[in-house]
Amino acid sequence: MYKFKTMKKTTLIISLIYILFGCGTNKSVSKSDGKNIPMIDTNAIVETFDNRSYPTIAMQIFSFAEIYRMAGDYASAILEYQEALKYDDKSVTIYNSIGDAYLNLYKYEQAIEYYKKSLLIEFNQIELKNKLADIYLVTGNISKSIKIWKTILKENPRQYDIYYSLINAYIMNRDEVNARKYLKTYIQKGENELSILNNCVLIYKELGDYNEAIILTRKILTLSNESKYYDLLIELLFLNKQYTDVDKVVDNWIINSPNELSPYYYKISNYIAKSQIDSAKKYVNKIQSRWREEWWISNFQASIFMEENNSDSVDFYIERVFDIKEAPFLPYHNYALWLLNMRRYEDGISFIDSVIEKFPQNNDLQFIEALIYSELEELSKSIQIFQMLLDEDQNNKNILHNLAILYDQNSQVEKANETYSKIILIDSSDAIAYNNYSYLLAENGNELEKALSLSKKSLEIEPNSGVYFDTMAWVLFKMGNYKKALAVVDSAIILIEENNSELFYHKGEILFKLGDIENSKKNLRIALEIDPTFSRAKKRLEEISND
């Protein structure tokens, strides 16, 4: 029997330095590319923004380097900065600029080298130390990052943002004890500061401590009624499996922000997910006049009518969704899938063909179209689409499973065998592949020992699957082991709760081989009661009855 189931990201911010220079003479310095820049007396000094005096020529060469930097030519900028150092080797500005240029070129070792030289000149550069720690973090030297951040906090205990970086570094280093130690201090430092509390929530979330994260988020909501914090709280409640609390939070959100649409999104989607359609309608009706503001309002209306199988209303509201330019892929996908489920196959193909170019990076619509052609028994077209999709995603098991079944239905047994073998190579725990491959071999009456081995493997993975027991019973039947096949098929009937026509057909065939004609006919009749169109069962019953 076939069965198919369907780092903290560290951003290095490069400081841009803009310096305005005044020029007072007609002297010039010749550069390597033939360009000249005006310069003044090389012995003169100019007062700059960092309260120290610089040789004028160093300033002028530095300004030339800045032109390259602003143009994105960091390599040339570095050469000019290094030239400027010849005239002033005590400038933190120049060292930092060289470090920044190397950083833009992702040459971390060179950037670190120049930042360190800058710190030797002026040690108390907190932003530079923080940048250096970030570089160590992204290059995997977490211990050095931690050391720098701890030093910053020791010297500057009010640098609260450093706590967030330090705690995340400890988490990355799998040192939860120190992470929680500094987190406790961080919370105390920013008891009523939203940004700090928000960071602490994110840390607790990273640690998997959802209870503490929820407590802090509720506190944030007492300080601020911003929508993003309701979103965060709802996410945390879902993660913590506190589903009943979600409704309470959403209700409170609606009371506190009556004009906000977002809480209605959660409310309606939750009711639809639980098939509480009347409740979903109630909340949709409250906001339906605002359908132009959000595509999902009309989409929810369409979804409600999908549940009620009201095709005309579904078509009306889904068209309204598509009239909104911001509508994402989701409603297109859901509508195509609904057309498939409603067996509106021609409408489905026509719809998919009309919109498929809107989403060139997403193959889901083509996948659905292949399923439609399969339902229409246009197997060659379905196989062609799946093969095309497989060319783009060669290890996609959903595609491979569908192809294997289609190959079998299209009498391409060898290709079906090869496809199941490939699935098992990709995932040795795919019970469906073992089961379906076993059933395929049994149906074709060859390699029955292999079929039995595959069937046993599927049951090792999912030992309580009635479907897999039925496959084993059929393999044993094909092998002529009828008594054992009967025991196994009875196990399958106990495990499979829903009525399954093929299961009773198999039992009827097994009983016939055991000579129990009356019970054989009884089970074949049960198979036909479940599925009156089951031609094999009907034919077999007629044959037995006429004997």
Side-chain angles (χ1 to χ4, degrees):
M1 180 183 293
Y2 277 115
K3 181 180 180 184
F4 180 63
K5 301 177 181 176
T6 302
M7 120 172 133
K8 167 192 167 191
K9 183 179 179 183
T10 305
T11 303
L12 301 175
I13 303 173
I14 310 305
S15 299
L16 301 181
I17 305 169
Y18 295 92
I19 302 176
L20 298 177
F21 296 92
C23 303
T25 73
N26 294 322
K27 294 183 180 180
S28 65
V29 175
S30 177
K31 310 308 293 179
S32 59
D33 59 2
K35 293 181 180 178
N36 293 322
I37 61 169
M39 64 167 286
I40 56 176
D41 187 351
T42 58
N43 294 317
I45 55 176
V46 178
E47 198 73 9
T48 64
F49 59 85
D50 60 357
N51 299 320
R52 68 178 291 273
S53 297
Y54 287 79
T56 304
I57 191 164
M59 292 286 286
Q60 291 185 345
I61 297 172
F62 182 89
S63 69
F64 199 82
E66 286 290 274
I67 293 169
Y68 282 121
R69 179 191 60 76
M70 286 187 284
D73 186 353
Y74 301 112
S76 295
I78 288 168
L79 292 174
E80 296 300 329
Y81 289 135
Q82 289 173 334
E83 183 72 15
L85 276 181
K86 293 178 182 178
Y87 297 92
D88 185 358
D89 62 358
K90 302 297 182 187
S91 169
V92 295
T93 301
I94 298 175
Y95 282 114
N96 290 346
S97 296
I98 297 174
D100 289 347
Y102 274 123
L103 199 56
N104 277 296
L105 293 171
Y106 301 100
K107 294 186 176 182
Y108 298 116
E109 288 184 10
Q110 293 92 330
I112 290 169
E113 177 190 348
Y114 280 91
Y115 290 147
K116 283 183 173 179
K117 289 178 179 178
S118 177
L119 289 169
L120 286 174
I121 297 168
E122 187 178 323
F123 182 74
N124 195 28
Q125 297 182 70
I126 295 173
E127 289 185 10
L128 182 59
K129 289 179 183 178
N130 190 32
K131 187 188 295 184
L132 193 57
D134 276 336
I135 296 172
Y136 282 130
L137 192 73
V138 299
T139 55
N141 200 333
I142 303 173
S143 297
K144 283 192 176 181
S145 295
I146 289 171
K147 185 177 179 181
I148 292 172
W149 280 319
K150 285 178 69 176
T151 301
I152 293 174
L153 284 176
K154 186 176 180 181
E155 297 167 352
N156 303 274
R158 297 184 65 83
Q159 292 289 324
Y160 299 144
D161 287 346
I162 301 301
Y163 280 98
Y164 185 65
S165 299
L166 178 59
I167 295 163
N168 275 288
Y170 275 125
I171 292 172
M172 289 177 67
N173 215 32
R174 300 182 181 179
D175 184 351
E176 192 172 318
V177 173
N178 274 310
R180 289 184 179 277
K181 171 187 167 184
Y182 280 93
L183 177 58
K184 184 178 179 181
T185 306
Y186 190 33
I187 293 172
Q188 292 170 349
K189 298 287 186 185
E191 188 175 358
N192 293 309
E193 290 191 30
L194 287 176
S195 61
I196 293 178
L197 292 176
N198 182 69
N199 284 346
C200 292
V201 168
L202 298 178
I203 293 166
Y204 275 127
K205 182 183 171 186
E206 182 71 20
L207 290 169
D209 196 341
Y210 302 129
N211 281 322
E212 290 298 328
I214 288 167
I215 291 168
L216 269 187
T217 307
R218 290 187 186 279
K219 180 175 181 178
I220 291 172
L221 279 168
T222 64
L223 301 172
S224 169
N225 203 35
E226 292 183 55
S227 297
K228 63 182 180 181
Y229 296 120
Y230 280 106
D231 273 323
L232 180 58
L233 180 56
I234 289 168
E235 179 192 358
L236 290 167
L237 289 169
F238 271 115
L239 287 170
N240 210 36
K241 299 180 181 179
Q242 293 177 233
Y243 305 122
T244 54
D245 287 347
V246 171
D247 267 345
K248 296 176 185 176
V249 171
V250 174
D251 288 338
N252 191 47
W253 190 358
I254 290 172
I255 292 168
N256 290 327
S257 307
N259 294 320
E260 182 80 42
L261 284 172
S262 296
Y264 287 93
Y265 176 89
Y266 285 106
K267 201 76 176 175
I268 298 163
S269 60
N270 192 30
Y271 281 129
I272 290 176
K274 293 188 288 188
S275 296
Q276 296 178 4
I277 302 304
D278 289 339
S279 297
K281 275 184 180 178
K282 173 186 170 183
Y283 280 90
V284 167
N285 289 339
K286 291 182 179 182
I287 59 170
Q288 63 180 347
S289 63
R290 298 174 64 183
W291 65 270
R292 291 179 180 82
E293 296 177 44
E294 293 287 355
W295 65 270
W296 50 261
I297 296 175
S298 295
N299 190 60
F300 276 138
Q301 290 174 297
S303 297
I304 288 167
F305 286 113
M306 284 179 185
E307 291 287 327
E308 297 177 341
N309 295 325
N310 186 333
S311 292
D312 289 341
S313 294
V314 170
D315 291 339
F316 172 79
Y317 285 109
I318 208 71
E319 280 298 323
R320 207 159 73 173
V321 173
F322 298 151
D323 284 340
I324 299 174
K325 291 181 181 179
E326 294 78 14
F329 175 73
L330 180 66
Y332 291 88
H333 172 271
N334 288 350
Y335 184 56
L337 199 59
W338 180 76
L339 291 172
L340 167 63
N341 292 333
M342 292 296 290
R343 300 183 180 180
R344 288 172 54 181
Y345 301 135
E346 298 300 333
D347 287 342
I349 291 169
S350 176
F351 170 70
I352 290 169
D353 287 344
S354 69
V355 302
I356 204 163
E357 290 184 0
K358 287 178 179 285
F359 308 99
Q361 304 303 318
N362 197 311
N363 292 328
D364 284 2
L365 291 176
Q366 290 166 300
F367 191 102
I368 295 170
E369 189 168 36
L371 294 177
I372 291 174
Y373 279 121
S374 173
E375 292 296 318
L376 289 169
E377 297 186 0
E378 295 187 41
L379 303 185
S380 296
K381 283 186 178 179
S382 184
I383 288 170
Q384 183 181 7
I385 295 172
F386 277 126
Q387 285 175 333
M388 179 192 68
L389 295 175
L390 192 63
D391 287 340
E392 297 179 20
D393 190 0
Q394 295 186 4
N395 292 329
N396 187 306
K397 291 203 303 172
N398 281 337
I399 297 171
L400 288 166
H401 270 291
N402 277 286
L403 267 174
I405 293 170
L406 287 166
Y407 284 141
D408 181 23
Q409 292 173 346
N410 206 37
S411 300
Q412 295 173 268
V413 177
E414 285 304 314
K415 282 194 172 183
N417 290 344
E418 290 169 8
T419 306
Y420 281 127
S421 295
K422 181 175 180 179
I423 295 170
I424 291 167
L425 280 174
I426 293 169
D427 182 1
S428 61
S429 64
D430 192 322
I432 300 171
Y434 288 110
N435 176 76
N436 288 4
Y437 193 6
S438 172
Y439 191 79
L440 173 64
L441 292 175
E443 280 286 85
N444 287 283
N446 53 13
E447 298 187 78
L448 293 176
E449 290 294 339
K450 182 177 180 179
L452 184 60
S453 175
L454 290 165
S455 179
K456 287 178 179 177
K457 184 67 177 176
S458 69
L459 282 164
E460 284 175 16
I461 299 167
E462 292 185 29
N464 296 316
S465 170
V467 172
Y468 299 165
F469 271 103
D470 180 53
T471 296
M472 179 175 279
W474 197 236
V475 173
L476 290 166
F477 169 80
K478 291 285 185 173
M479 296 176 81
N481 193 342
Y482 305 126
K483 287 185 178 179
K484 191 168 184 181
L486 181 61
V488 174
V489 82
D490 282 338
S491 296
I493 290 170
I494 293 169
L495 288 168
I496 296 179
E497 294 179 359
E498 74 278 4
N499 288 329
N500 186 296
S501 60
E502 195 167 3
L503 193 59
F504 287 97
Y505 165 73
H506 287 162
K507 185 172 181 179
E509 289 284 34
I510 294 167
L511 287 166
F512 178 79
K513 287 293 186 180
L514 288 169
D516 190 346
I517 306 302
E518 288 307 312
N519 277 319
S520 173
K521 289 192 287 187
K522 178 183 175 181
N523 277 275
L524 290 170
R525 289 190 190 102
I526 293 172
L528 285 168
E529 285 173 10
I530 297 167
D531 180 7
T533 67
F534 194 171
S535 58
R536 281 198 298 168
K538 185 177 182 181
K539 182 180 179 182
R540 196 75 181 103
L541 182 60
E542 289 173 353
E543 289 173 350
I544 294 172
S545 299
N546 293 331
D547 285 345

